[in-house]
Each structure stands twice: as structure tokens, then as C-alpha cells.
Amino acid sequence: MPSFANGGKTDPKAILKSMSDYLARQSAISAKFNSSIEVITPELEKIQFDSSTTLQLKRPDKLRAERVGGYAAVEMIFDGTTLTIHDIDNKKYAQASAGGTIDALVDRMRHEFGIGAPGVDLLLSDVYGALSADVLAAKYIGQGVIDGVECEHLAFRNNETDWQLWVRTGPEPIPCKMVITSKTVTGSPQYTVEVRDWKPGAAIGNAAFEFKVDGAGSKVDIKDLSALDEVPPAATEGAQQ
């Protein structure tokens, strides 16, 4: 199998960099994707939970995402100055001052609010820098087809995870699928994101990033929003993911 040092078409890091550069040039992106996360129960049974997300992004500082699953429906809106997280089912929402870029927002959500998801690095302005920083090995696997789209299949390894990425061939190298395997957890659970309708360059008006308070329910602190995870609380008691 050719390594990334060989360069050319079969260089996995070059393909990853091409995808990153292409996405960074897009001022706006809309997408729909399905995700699944696996948990390992104390009895070592592997259980999978699925959800669907609709995403709208406008660089450098606007983001809207709505995730609907069997156990939670959550909406997140960032208008450049305020982050709103809306628990749709329970009619609660929380807001925080969050001026800055989408990159800064993702970092703050991870480290201050404890909110994040594998695959969110695909939204950053420098996807290549975020994903390649701790890579120990990279392989070009070959070509695959995701939802009828021909893709370059790449595989990467770091200390804690193995992750795979399928990138569309041709002039629009967009991500079509990502699989992250946790190597430090018994049973090696996986997180999978499969893109259904990624549209770089989509025309998105600022109205898409406005939060309508009417009918949203009661305002609470972010720490009081309990139904944000893709996995129901009962399933995570003693489980690994």
C-alpha cells in the first residue's frame, strides 16, 4: 500500500489538505447528515444510537445546527455574538455571550461548556491542521462509493483513535463519511458521520441565524440543559463510549 510520502493522487495527507483548502474557500455551507454513536454497556454489549442533523454555516462567525434523534431534539444557533442552545422537546433554552469566530466557538464549547462531538473539526477554517496535528500514520486505502458518490478512502491513526475519511473525487473534494474508532475503550466503539447533502457555496441569509424566543420555552443556564446528548442518560450509566 502506498504511503503518504509517495505524493500524488495516493497521498492521504495531500487529499486531506486539498479537502481542507476547498472547504476553507467556501464562505457558506449547508449540509444534512446522519450520525451514529456506539456505547459499550457494563455487560460488554455494544449499542448504537442514531440521529440526523441539519447544518447551516456562514464564515467566519455564524452557525446553525439542529439534531434530531430518538431521545433528544436540540438546536444550536450562533449569530456572531450570542450562542443559543435550545432543548426543543423540553422547551428550554440557554444563551451565552460568545463573540468571535466559529473556530473560537468550537473551542469554547469543548473546554468551557463540555459540549462537542467527534467530526466537528470538519467545520473549522483549517480542517487539515485540526485533524493532522496528532497523526502517527496515514494510508490511502483506495476508492469507495458513499451514497452513489465516488470517494477517496483514507485511514489515519493516532494514540487514542483510528479514523477513516471518505473524500469526494473530482473538483469538489468534500467529506462524505467519517468513522472514528476509540482504541482506548473496551470494545472499540465507533462514531460515524455520513453526509447526505453537503452544499458548499450555498446562499444563506443572516435570518437563518436568528433565534426566535417566542414559543421556545423557559430560559435556563447551560448547565441546566440535561437532554443534549445523542445517547439517553440511562444508556450511559456505567457504559463506555
Side-chain angles (χ1 to χ4, degrees), residues 24 29 48 51 69 110 123 153 156 162 183 189 202-203 210 213 218:
I29 294 171
Q48 180 175 287
S51 62
R110 280 174 167 166
L123 306 180
H153 183 188
F156 302 86
D162 290 341
K183 297 188 293 186
E210 296 175 358
V213 174
S218 57

Side-chain angles (χ1 to χ4, degrees), residues 82-87 92-96 211 218-223 225:
T82 302
L83 167 67
T84 301
I85 302 175
H86 183 200
D87 178 352
K92 295 179 181 180
Y93 72 94
Q95 293 181 311
F211 177 65
S218 57
K219 187 175 182 179
V220 299
D221 291 334
I222 288 181
K223 62 180 177 61
L225 291 175

Side-chain angles (χ1 to χ4, degrees), residues 84-121:
T84 301
I85 302 175
H86 183 200
D87 178 352
I88 298 172
D89 288 341
N90 294 313
K91 292 189 177 299
K92 295 179 181 180
Y93 72 94
Q95 293 181 311
S97 176
T101 64
I102 293 170
D103 290 24
L105 175 70
V106 170
D107 183 72
R108 188 179 178 192
M109 288 182 66
R110 280 174 167 166
H111 297 102
E112 183 176 340
F113 302 139
I115 301 172
V120 73
D121 289 333

